Amino acid sequence: MMRTRPLKVALLGCGVVGSEVARIMTTHADDLAARIGAPVELAGVAVRRPSRVREGIDPSLVTTDATALVKRGDIDVVVEVIGGIEPARTLITTAFEHGASVVSANKALLAQDGAALHAAAEEHDADLYYEAAVAGAIPLIRPLRESLAGDKVNRVLGIVNGTTNFILDKMDSTGAGYQEALDEATALGYAEADPTADVEAFDAAAKAAILAGIAFHTRVRLDDVYREGMTEVTAADFATAKEMGCTIKLLAICERAADGASVTARVHPAMIPLSHPLASVRGAYNAVFVESDASGQLMFYGPGAGGAPTASAVLGDLVAVCRNRLNGATGPGESAYAALPVSGMGEVVTRFHISLDVADKPGVLAQVATVFAEHGVSIDTVRQQGRQDGGGEASLVVVTHRASDAALNGTVEALRKLDTVRGVASIMRVEGE
Ligand SMILES: NC(=O)c1ccc[n+]([C@@H]2O[C@H](COP(=O)([O-])OP(=O)(O)OC[C@H]3O[C@@H](n4cnc5c(N)ncnc54)[C@H](O)[C@@H]3O)[C@@H](O)[C@H]2O)c1
Ligand SMILES: N[C@@H](CCO)C(=O)O
Ligand code: NA
């Protein structure tokens, strides 16, 4: 039966995502009410620049005082789409203290302070939902938290940043320059306010921390995630990848160790074979594989960024949180009971592609191979190519079998000390095989 008193929603931030949330709340008001069992009313919209015209939003709802809005006491759900750490964190905790539940898209904040925010939600019998924080529109948080709650997740691997996938895809398919591709991603509303978060992979690392935490029932913070951005990926790297039948993607990889006693989380550019489904993820799309004991491999795919797709995830959370409130209940909170240690990058085992500039003379190959053997790194393939410039140098491209990051680092350090190795041109991990 439909309740007539509306549930009141406060919207904090009316930018790319917030303006779409407001639009959908208005245009889909009847459907949302029917699905929830009560009407939802936009009770206030906190903005930074009140003079901006906001189509479809009653100007009397607009305020620059977000704190007063969350303190009103009659707000049922606060939707935080401001981003960043402060004032978002204080506004969310104040919202809990004043009886509201919270829906947020803020991965940076959740990766840094998720545990404290969950504790605050629990203390005040409120919900904290954040489907939009990871992989935009793609349902991923709720499947991990709820649908897979009876299974054991061993690995989460995928593309979780739309901006960098858009840039890498453009560079690969059209030969576009890095800046040109980034400007386009920003204009389309994919990039963060400061695109450093995207291209230096802080955004993807925050998402990896959130995913690993939920998947492994363990607290994983941003600082626990190994991070390498994509600003140093060059056209030459794409050419090498192509020669190997691969492309380059910025991947987030969260894994349980083989003995199950620890976990790792990392974000870095990697080569993947063109035959792998992740290789054909284009533009700002995201795709994430989840591997679990009973389910086997699941793939989640869809728009990972942009105003409307992200608003879709926010609205889904809003409906769920409103239903919980009508039932006098709360949904699942933090689950960190496993408390597994999070290992550093040295423990990660993967394959590597290493390109060396070496002297083009007898015995060099044997010398290089010996260094790999001494560090316990097994070589899969080696390709040597003499240079046409007559400088007496050659390129040596080595692809290894699976080896630990620590063993590979030791190998590279020793290779650099050989007189015959003039330089290490590139090192890239090879995933997805
Ligand atoms: N854009 C996307 O594709 C996308 C996807 C997923 C998640 N997110 C997340 O959603 C959140 C919002 O992102 P966005 O792209 O809409 O950013 P945005 O910069 O377009 O919007 C944020 C808005 O908040 C306003 N704001 C800042 N401080 C404020 C304050 N104190 N009070 C009221 N308003 C304030 C800004 O003026 C701006 O209009 C971020 O956490 C972001 O990481 C964005
Ligand atoms: N800037 C982010 C937004 C979605 O979280 C991206 O490009 O993926
Ligand atoms: Na999502």
Side-chain angles (χ1 to χ4, degrees), residues 164-235:
T164 50
N165 199 60
F166 183 90
I167 296 172
L168 291 170
D169 184 24
K170 277 254 151 177
M171 287 173 73
D172 190 21
S173 57
T174 69
Y178 165 76
Q179 192 59 47
E180 184 193 342
L182 172 60
D183 290 347
E184 203 178 331
T186 304
L188 289 165
Y190 303 146
E192 297 299 306
D194 175 2
T196 314
D198 294 300
V199 299
E200 295 296 353
F202 289 101
D203 177 84
K207 292 164 177 169
I210 295 169
L211 289 175
I214 298 173
F216 305 133
H217 301 272
T218 285
R219 276 186 189 152
V220 181
R221 289 166 48 101
L222 180 62
D223 294 347
D224 297 319
V225 181
Y226 173 83
R227 178 190 57 79
E228 262 177 50
M230 50 69 68
T231 51
E232 283 168 25
V233 176
T234 61

Side-chain angles (χ1 to χ4, degrees), residues 275-320:
S275 56
H276 193 280
L278 288 177
S280 44
V281 175
R282 316 302 295 264
Y285 276 71
N286 286 186
V288 178
F289 283 87
V290 177
E291 293 169 15
S292 308
D293 265 2
S295 74
Q297 196 174 61
L298 305 165
M299 182 177 176
F300 298 83
Y301 172 79
T310 306
S312 164
V314 170
L315 265 295
D317 279 353
L318 181 64
V319 169

Side-chain angles (χ1 to χ4, degrees), residues 125-152:
D125 279 330
D127 275 324
L128 172 61
Y129 276 42
Y130 44 90
E131 184 60 73
V134 182
I138 307 173
L140 196 54
I141 303 289
R142 198 126 13 114
L144 281 169
R145 253 182 169 188
E146 298 181 33
S147 321
L148 289 164
D151 206 339
K152 181 182 177 193

Side-chain angles (χ1 to χ4, degrees), residues 13-17 46-48 81-83 87 105-107 132 189 192 305-306 310:
C14 199
V16 172
V17 179
V47 302
R48 201 166 41 179
V81 278
I82 290 174
N106 194 334
K107 52 261 164 151
E192 297 299 306
T310 306

Side-chain angles (χ1 to χ4, degrees), residues 9 21 55 93 109 128-129 140-141 157 159 167 177 195 252 293 325 332 345 431:
V9 176
V21 170
E55 216 177 303
T93 45
L109 178 58
L128 172 61
Y129 276 42
L140 196 54
I141 303 289
L157 170 145
I159 296 166
I167 296 172
D293 265 2
R325 271 185 103 78
M345 193 60 185
E431 303 286 344

Side-chain angles (χ1 to χ4, degrees), residues 243-270:
E243 278 170 28
M244 288 191 47
C246 289
T247 188
I248 299 169
K249 294 290 188 189
L250 184 77
L251 298 183
I253 304 171
C254 312
E255 288 172 312
R256 212 182 268 280
D259 64 2
S262 62
V263 297
T264 53
R266 56 191 163 118
V267 178
H268 53 72

